[in-house]
Amino acid sequence: MSVTYAPELSKSSAAGIGAFCGLVGTVTANTFRRLPVMRRPWTHVIGVLGCGYLGSRYVDARDWAAATSQRRWEERRLERQRKQSFSGDYPSRYGNDSNNSNSTQH
């Protein structure tokens, strides 16, 4: 089974897609309300700018999430390696262990 990923989006293309979605959203909202399509053009500008900004921020959020996920995965991998390499060197914290320095012998 092969996994296909979405193509890499640049910040400008993500902003363009967001701006287009903002325009389509405001035009569609006016259409559903049976208003003139280009009524209040400033709402279209706000929709285009707002969704364009969110589209550009999406790329940053995606890159941050990927870097964070990779860093956490690497930290877990290193922790597992550390535990495996030191597993026989230290006495057990729990239970009766003859090498445990905290146990008292009577």
Side-chain angles (χ1 to χ4, degrees), residues 63-76:
D63 293 343
W64 175 83
T68 302
S69 174
Q70 181 65 30
R71 188 185 77 239
R72 287 181 181 167
W73 184 86
E74 187 66 25
E75 287 172 357
R76 287 187 197 118

Side-chain angles (χ1 to χ4, degrees), residues 95-106:
N96 293 332
D97 190 0
S98 61
N99 295 333
N100 192 350
S101 62
N102 294 332
S103 65
T104 57
Q105 296 178 354
H106 289 57

Side-chain angles (χ1 to χ4, degrees), residues 46-67:
I46 291 172
V48 165
L49 293 177
C51 289
Y53 175 74
L54 291 176
S56 68
R57 297 300 294 166
Y58 163 76
V59 174
D60 293 337
R62 184 197 59 206
D63 293 343
W64 175 83

Side-chain angles (χ1 to χ4, degrees), residues 22-90:
L23 179 64
V24 168
T26 52
V27 168
T28 303
N30 284 346
T31 303
F32 284 151
R33 294 185 303 177
R34 296 182 185 224
L35 298 171
V37 173
M38 291 304 281
R39 179 178 178 232
R40 296 186 195 161
W42 56 271
T43 59
H44 295 75
V45 172
I46 291 172
V48 165
L49 293 177
C51 289
Y53 175 74
L54 291 176
S56 68
R57 297 300 294 166
Y58 163 76
V59 174
D60 293 337
R62 184 197 59 206
D63 293 343
W64 175 83
T68 302
S69 174
Q70 181 65 30
R71 188 185 77 239
R72 287 181 181 167
W73 184 86
E74 187 66 25
E75 287 172 357
R76 287 187 197 118
R77 185 184 65 80
L78 291 173
E79 182 67 21
R80 281 193 307 271
Q81 284 180 347
R82 187 188 65 77
K83 284 182 180 179
Q84 288 174 356
S85 65
F86 292 122
S87 63
D89 295 343
Y90 296 106

